[in-house]
Amino acid sequence: MTDAVGSIDTPDAQDEVPESKKKARKGGKRAKKGPLKRLALFYRQIIAELRKVVWPTRHQLTSYTTVVIFFVAIMIALVTVIDYGLNHAAKYVFG
């Protein structure tokens, strides 16, 4: 389907780049650095990202830990009750 500007499926003539003007890539920036420099860059980037992390306070950490432990205890109790009930139901049905 075409409109006044042109088709959506075909690019405009001004957007096309001739093959002679395209550059061939030979590995980019990674090929220029040695493996130790790349490893050092990787660790520097890790440290930079860890500095951006918002770490919880001690109070937040203890409250989050308490909530998780409480939730896990409830889930253990729930699974235990369901397992106990299904065990007795199987014994009743099968013998």
Side-chain angles (χ1 to χ4, degrees), residues 65-90:
T65 304
T66 304
V67 168
V68 167
I69 289 173
F70 184 70
F71 178 76
V72 168
I74 289 175
M75 292 308 295
I76 288 172
L78 181 66
V79 169
T80 302
V81 167
I82 291 172
D83 183 51
Y84 184 75
L86 289 175
N87 186 18
H88 280 292

Side-chain angles (χ1 to χ4, degrees), residues 3-4 17 22 26-27 42 44 58 70 74 81 84 94:
D3 56 357
V17 178
K22 288 185 180 179
K26 291 187 177 181
F42 177 70
R44 281 196 306 271
R58 183 176 295 270
F70 184 70
I74 289 175
V81 167
Y84 184 75
F94 296 113

